[in-house]
Amino acid sequence: MRFGVLGPLLVLRDGEPVALGAPKQRTLLALLLLRPNRPVTTDWLVDALWDGAPPPGAPVTLRTYVAGLRRALEPGRGPRSPGRVVRSHDGGYELCVPPEAIDAERFTALAADGARALAGGDPGTAERCYAEALALWRGDLPVADLAAVRPDVARLTEARLGAQEGRLTAGVAAGRHDAVLPDLRRLVDRHPAREAAREQLMLALYRAGRATEALAAFDAGRRLLADEFGVEPGPGLRELHRRILTHTVTGPAVPAVDRPAPLVGRDAELARLAELLAAAGRDGGRVAIVVGEPGIGKTSLASAVAQRAARAGVPVVWGRCPDLGQAPPFWLWTQVVRELTALPGAGDPGARAALAGFTADAAGGGDGPDPAARFRAYEAVAALVHAAAGPRGLVVVLDDLHAADPDSRLLLRYLATAVHRSRALLVVTARPHDHDAGLVATLADLARAPGGRLRLEGLGTAAVADLVHERTGAAPAAGLVERLLHRTGGNPFFLTELLAPAGPPDEHDALPPSVRDAVRLRLHAPDPATRECLDLLGVAGRELDLRLLSAAGGTDAAARLAAPAAAHLIAGAGPGAVRFRHPLFAEVAYAELAAPRRAVLHARLAGAAAVMPGLGGLTAAELARHYGQATGLGHGEDFLRWTLRAADEATWRLAYEDALAHLDRAADRLAPSAATSPEAAEAELAVQLHRTSLLQITAGVGSDAVEHAAARARSLLPLAGPGADLSTALWTLGEVACNRAEFVIAADLAHRLTGAAPHDDPLLGAAGPYLQGVVAYFTGRLAEADARLTAAVDRLRTVDARRLRGQIGRTPTLSPYNFRALVRSLRGDRPAARADLAAARELAERADDPYGRGNAVLFAAWTALQERDAAAGREAARRCREIGARQHIAHFVGIGEFLESWAAVHDGDAARLGAMRAEGEAIYRHGLRSTRTIAIAAMADAYLAAGDRRTAAELADEGLAAAEAVGERVLTAELRRVRGLARGDERDLRHGAAIAAEQGAGLLAARCGVPPQQDLNSRRLA
């Protein structure tokens, strides 16, 4: 007979099912099968069979069930013969069957065979045993709902899960990771807390070349354990996670910066860098790009050439970036500038203002973004590098560029275009970067500079043998080099770590079956206080002032980190500061922390820094990040306060992308409360206005991004408190509405602004008439526009120029002069227009307003376009392109390119017509709507002059349709003139002349050349 209890109860005699009788009788057999070949008491059976509530007479009924089982299992037994299968005992019964006859017993034996085979290094046999054992299961246990057998059910259920894990573990060990991945995923999904299964899933994913998914699987498990149980993953899971992080499963890891692995096997690369160093000092600057996987020796190679330069008397400076994300803006260059300014003769006192954002004691300042100041800072850094390299040459090492912030990369891209004029060698190290579009673009720009690119691979056999000899003092034992290469892929850092316990050669002859997790062993700290310091250093992700570390950890950090348990992990980072010897240590230390523990440490670090002078060396952005990780502990307001401060500082440092990221986070924090809290609404309104200001510079004045930010700001206006000063908001939103050709909205905001602006503040008092004048210009009411803009100019004349600084996007400064120049140009008063443009430029200089300088050029361009002055347009185009490229303002570049093509066509180069039209359309591609009719009119006139009447007429139609759609009527007279000439339609010409006369546009009236008919209703036409 065969008995099956791993599923519906089953008994087979000679392969045929046995009828087992009533349900209670079947349950009795199942209970006996769970405890075979041992006596079971009557009391236990009665209690189990009726699940703790037996009826009166239950023992008698039990005997009836026993008799029925005996008849079913032993049909040939005589009426008085003792039972051989179900035997009676004093006070109980025993099921006596061979163990191999019961599927549960066979399952247990096969699973044990699989475990022994797996432990013995035979995964193939193990997998077969486990698979055979699992095949015995046909479903759930038949008595799983009875309380008395819950321990037995739990034992078998756990054994089944263990066998599933064992089978999959054996499959991974046998190299069948791809085949078992689906089953591993299902097992982990159903039992997410089983760490052994998750470990095998991670290992299978990693071996399948999906390291990112493997790390994500660990993170998901860690979050589950922390959230559900408040514990960290076990040591096995953590060890595998670290081995994946450090690529020790198949090799690659990250090198220590201050204790680089011996530079073996890199003779050719070092010789190439030496050539570039010599060429930089002799023929002009060079850029050396060193790319490779973590731990491959990039930093070691850079250190070697730096040491060679230093021995020759060439100064060397370093910029390093922590590979933890969210690096402070310009962090690489802050370090470089700090070192360069300390060199004799390198610092120009006149450049200190431009370099202020890079100095250690920089403090936020200014009221708004300054695009031109960013370019001046770039030039100041380039000049500083040039000056430092002048006497003896210079080596600038920028380590881990892949982790640098976007603004540092932008500065490097600029410097790469000028490095050939210096004697500097830039050595840039980075990890493989195909997945990082920003890094790809940066390295592409660097590759265009004179220099070279080196791709580091793993060390070869000879180099590994040399490394073993250097570390151990003896030649490697037979087979050792091959085993090391197999386990490390020739990665220098991991080879060095693996050989760290250097001793007699025979101690390294027998390596463990798997590569040891060197980083985990090094991070082990025997006492909680030292571990606390290391954890805080990992949370920081960068160097820390020892005073800050002591305050946050509540202990003497210097003493703790000087102890043998930690000293090998730590390196000095300037006076009174320490850091991990390599970013990998920080990464692993941080990865070890459970989420609740991380939040506590983030909050403690931020809290200690916030009350220290100079924030303990941290930036506002770092404090915002730390508090952001601790918002669940009640630090939401701290996070918001420091995020806003970080945005202001990033704006002042010209790191606009970083500032926008901070503002986005602040807006996300404030938005849920804005509808119910006037304070939150006012705070978010200020954030959205700041975003609007920055987006006008980075995305373009008419971009959809600006419109979205402005729309959100408009929705917040009615939510602000009754005492809120909305002048700045009304001004900013009014200008956005003008750019979007939403003139009704702009007029309404201007009206509200005129009533809201304080009478004693001429700066804000100029805003209302300025916006009204802009609307009047675009809608063709030139006399009114002149009067309104003149009122704004008169108010501005009473404002101290020093107050105008930093007002970009916040209050009107120079724009009234610029728009009045357009108005007076159109009215035919060219000298007055030139005087206004000159006044705008002069005021920009007095106020040191770089954006004002750029706007003066921009309006000179539009004035030239109105007046069809090709020479002035060409000069304005050149300056627009130059400013746009230097300040990273795309719409300046676009307008410059369009204007240059237009000037060329105007001067007879018909081949540029297509380019002109494409460039004209590109100006409006990102959402700008105003000025469209002006550009179309200029293009239509250019096609007409080139003899293409059909296209000229089509463009004029397009411009008139746009004017009708948005109400921008400033050049409808010109559009009718061009269409009339293109089609020979005198009525269009007369209509154009009438409109020009009605608007007071003397420039256009003279251009039309036909006096309007006296009986024409010019007001209706206008």
Side-chain angles (χ1 to χ4, degrees):
M1 283 192 300
R2 294 289 181 182
F3 298 86
V5 73
L6 301 180
L9 185 65
L10 177 67
V11 178
L12 297 175
R13 178 185 296 112
D14 297 328
E16 295 296 325
V18 175
L20 298 174
K24 284 285 190 212
Q25 192 166 293
R26 296 171 62 86
T27 301
L28 173 61
L29 177 58
L31 293 171
L32 293 170
L33 283 169
L34 290 176
R35 301 187 177 187
N37 300 306
R38 53 176 168 157
V40 183
T41 67
T42 299
D43 290 342
W44 185 86
L45 286 171
V46 166
D47 185 71
L49 195 59
W50 280 277
D51 203 15
V60 175
T61 306
L62 174 65
R63 288 196 294 272
T64 301
Y65 291 149
V66 169
L69 278 181
R70 284 172 173 165
R71 287 193 297 272
L73 299 177
E74 304 176 61
R77 184 180 64 88
R80 297 186 178 275
S81 301
R84 298 189 307 273
V85 177
V86 182
R87 296 181 181 179
S88 297
H89 287 275
D90 291 340
Y93 300 93
E94 177 182 3
L95 182 68
C96 298
V97 294
E100 63 273 14
I102 304 173
D103 58 1
E105 298 298 304
R106 293 203 308 279
F107 163 77
T108 302
L110 284 167
D113 291 343
R116 282 190 294 271
L118 187 58
D122 187 355
T125 299
E127 190 174 12
R128 286 192 296 274
C129 290
Y130 281 125
E132 188 177 345
L134 291 167
L136 295 170
W137 283 79
R138 296 168 291 107
D140 295 331
L141 295 171
V143 289
D145 57 338
L146 297 180
V149 292
R150 282 175 187 163
D152 304 86
V153 172
R155 171 181 57 82
L156 283 169
T157 301
E158 177 63 27
R160 183 184 189 182
L161 286 173
Q164 289 173 331
E165 288 176 350
R167 180 181 72 83
L168 297 172
T169 300
V172 173
R176 298 191 334 101
H177 39 269
D178 286 315
V180 301
L181 255 177
D183 288 342
L184 271 170
R185 286 190 187 277
R186 282 192 290 271
L187 183 62
V188 171
D189 287 344
R190 292 171 184 168
H191 307 281
R194 294 188 71 85
E195 294 191 40
R198 190 174 297 275
E199 183 177 336
Q200 291 306 312
L201 174 61
M202 290 167 59
L203 187 59
L205 286 168
Y206 185 85
R207 288 182 175 171
R210 296 151 76 172
T212 301
E213 292 181 57
L215 294 174
F218 176 83
D219 289 338
R222 180 170 54 188
R223 286 194 300 270
L224 173 80
L225 293 173
D227 295 343
E228 298 292 334
F229 309 104
V231 299
E232 296 182 1
L237 203 59
R238 295 201 311 272
E239 179 179 354
L240 177 59
H241 177 247
R242 277 183 265 180
R243 286 163 61 191
I244 291 173
L245 273 175
T246 59
H247 296 272
T248 60
V249 177
T250 56
V254 182
V257 172
D258 285 2
R259 188 183 60 76
L263 195 62
V264 297
R266 301 298 188 202
D267 293 343
E269 293 86 351
L270 185 56
R272 176 62 178 142
L273 288 180
E275 291 174 4
L276 292 175
L277 176 62
R282 182 182 64 246
D283 304 321
R286 296 290 190 271
V287 177
I289 305 169
V290 183
V291 178
E293 296 291 342
I296 208 67
K298 304 182 296 294
T299 303
S300 299
L301 188 61
S303 297
V305 74
Q307 291 165 8
R308 176 171 295 193
R311 287 195 297 269
V314 177
V316 177
V317 296
W318 284 73
R320 299 183 174 99
C321 194
D323 193 17
L324 293 176
Q326 295 188 3
F330 293 120
W331 179 245
L332 279 177
W333 295 103
T334 297
Q335 301 168 70
V336 171
V337 168
R338 187 169 54 204
E339 293 191 45
L340 286 178
T341 53
L343 295 176
D348 178 6
R352 292 191 181 277
L355 293 171
F358 301 97
T359 57
D361 58 349
D367 297 320
D370 186 342
R374 173 154 61 170
F375 175 71
R376 291 201 302 273
Y378 289 2
E379 287 210 309
V381 173
L384 183 61
V385 169
H386 185 86
R392 292 166 294 172
L394 176 70
V395 173
V396 179
V397 181
L398 301 177
D399 205 19
D400 289 335
L401 185 67
H402 54 272
D405 60 282
D407 292 289
S408 284
R409 292 181 184 176
L410 280 175
L411 199 161
L412 177 59
R413 292 168 71 175
Y414 174 80
L415 184 61
T417 64
V419 69
H420 63 280
R421 295 195 294 268
S422 72
R423 300 179 64 199
L425 171 64
L426 300 183
V427 181
V428 178
T429 74
R431 294 182 185 178
H433 51 275
D434 292 343
H435 64 288
D436 185 341
L439 188 56
V440 168
T442 300
L443 294 183
D445 280 359
L446 296 182
R448 285 191 280 270
R453 180 186 179 106
L454 293 79
R455 178 66 180 251
L456 299 188
E457 306 293 346
L459 299 180
T461 302
V464 173
D466 290 341
L467 182 59
V468 172
H469 188 279
E470 184 171 318
R471 297 293 296 176
T472 65
L480 175 59
V481 169
E482 288 72 18
R483 289 197 297 274
L484 285 173
L485 275 172
H486 176 72
R487 289 173 170 82
T488 68
N491 185 282
F493 171 72
F494 194 72
L495 283 165
T496 303
E497 292 298 310
L498 197 61
L499 296 169
D506 57 354
E507 290 187 15
H508 298 285
D509 192 32
L511 294 176
S514 61
V515 178
R516 291 179 295 130
D517 191 340
V519 177
R520 180 182 63 82
L521 295 177
R522 286 175 173 269
L523 282 175
H524 176 70
D527 65 283
T530 302
R531 183 73 227 186
E532 185 89 347
C533 291
L534 295 176
D535 287 347
L536 283 166
L537 209 53
V539 165
R542 51 160 288 189
E543 70 269 16
L544 280 184
D545 188 297
L546 281 167
R547 294 170 298 176
L548 174 57
L549 194 54
S550 298
T555 185
D556 184 351
R560 295 293 181 184
L561 298 180
H568 64 291
L569 300 168
I570 303 302
V578 294
R579 61 178 173 82
F580 278 116
R581 284 189 176 273
H582 193 274
L584 174 64
F585 296 154
E587 292 175 22
V588 176
Y590 191 74
E592 285 293 289
L593 300 173
R597 171 77 171 152
R598 285 184 184 178
V600 169
L601 292 178
H602 277 294
R604 285 170 56 184
L605 187 61
V611 299
M612 291 185 70
L615 304 181
L618 300 185
T619 65
E622 289 173 303
L623 286 180
R625 179 174 68 87
H626 290 309
Y627 276 127
Q629 295 295 321
T631 54
L633 302 179
H635 290 285
E637 293 304 315
D638 295 316
F639 164 70
L640 180 61
R641 181 174 68 256
W642 287 104
T643 296
L644 292 174
R645 179 165 169 179
D648 288 338
E649 290 190 2
T651 300
W652 180 73
R653 288 172 178 261
L654 320 175
Y656 300 142
E657 290 80 5
D658 188 72
L660 283 167
H662 288 300
L663 291 170
D664 289 345
R665 287 189 282 271
D668 290 341
R669 177 76 187 177
L670 288 164
S673 304
T676 57
S677 167
E679 294 78 10
E682 290 177 34
E684 192 192 346
L685 178 59
V687 168
Q688 295 296 353
L689 294 175
H690 195 171
R691 290 185 70 242
T692 301
S693 171
L694 292 174
L695 287 168
Q696 287 187 91
I697 294 173
T698 58
V701 292
S703 67
D704 289 338
V706 170
E707 168 57 16
H708 293 157
R712 176 58 182 170
R714 284 195 297 270
S715 72
L716 292 167
L717 289 175
L719 302 179
D725 181 1
L726 301 179
S727 299
T728 299
L730 294 171
W731 146 245
T732 304
L733 297 176
E735 185 169 64
V736 170
C738 286
N739 288 332
R740 302 285 295 183
E742 295 168 342
F743 302 122
V744 174
I745 294 175
D748 176 65
L749 292 169
H751 177 74
R752 294 173 61 185
L753 181 58
T754 302
H759 295 294
D760 58 349
D761 188 341
L763 183 59
L764 290 176
Y770 160 71
L771 282 177
Q772 291 169 332
V774 172
V775 172
Y777 164 74
F778 279 119
T779 53
R781 295 173 285 128
L782 299 182
E784 179 187 345
D786 201 329
R788 299 284 191 184
L789 292 167
T790 297
V793 167
D794 290 342
R795 286 178 171 86
L796 285 179
R797 286 198 180 107
T798 65
V799 181
D800 189 330
R802 289 174 296 182
R803 192 180 168 206
L804 298 179
R805 297 186 62 182
Q807 296 295 323
I808 302 150
R810 298 175 186 268
T811 52
T813 54
L814 316 182
S815 295
Y817 285 103
N818 289 320
F819 265 103
R820 196 171 68 171
L822 286 177
V823 170
R824 291 182 169 179
S825 165
L826 207 54
R827 299 186 78 184
D829 192 348
R830 187 168 183 174
R834 296 296 180 274
D836 275 340
L837 291 175
R841 289 194 299 271
E842 188 272 335
L843 185 55
E845 293 300 327
R846 284 197 292 117
D848 191 22
D849 183 345
Y851 198 73
R853 296 187 190 100
N855 258 349
V857 172
L858 192 65
F859 276 82
W862 285 113
T863 303
L865 206 62
Q866 278 189 169
E867 296 177 350
R868 304 296 187 258
D869 186 338
R874 192 175 295 103
E875 173 61 19
R878 181 188 65 79
R879 295 176 64 195
C880 276
R881 290 198 317 274
E882 180 183 85
I883 291 171
R886 289 178 177 176
Q887 299 177 14
H888 298 279
I889 305 178
H891 68 273
F892 270 51
V893 175
I895 290 172
E897 290 173 345
F898 164 66
L899 206 62
E900 182 184 36
S901 293
W902 170 82
V905 172
H906 191 279
D907 284 346
D909 186 0
R912 297 285 290 275
L913 280 168
M916 174 196 69
R917 190 168 183 181
E919 289 156 359
E921 292 172 352
I923 296 173
Y924 304 94
R925 189 171 297 142
H926 301 294
L928 179 66
R929 295 174 68 192
S930 68
T931 74
R932 189 176 185 89
T933 60
I934 301 174
I936 292 176
M939 289 192 290
D941 181 69
Y943 272 95
L944 182 64
D948 187 346
R949 293 173 175 269
R950 178 180 177 181
T951 304
E954 290 173 352
L955 282 170
D957 284 339
E958 180 184 340
L960 288 167
E964 183 64 27
V966 301
E968 185 178 284
R969 305 186 183 281
V970 60
L971 283 191
T972 51
E974 174 74 347
L975 289 165
R976 286 188 176 275
R977 180 189 73 84
V978 172
R979 190 172 70 178
L981 291 174
R983 292 178 175 164
D985 188 341
E986 185 175 319
R987 289 175 301 173
D988 253 343
L989 292 172
R990 291 185 178 277
H991 283 158
I995 292 171
E998 170 67 18
Q999 293 180 349
L1003 177 69
L1004 302 184
R1007 196 177 291 162
C1008 286
V1010 179
Q1013 292 178 347
Q1014 297 301 315
D1015 60 344
L1016 200 61
N1017 188 338
S1018 57
R1019 186 177 303 276
R1020 175 177 58 81
L1021 288 172

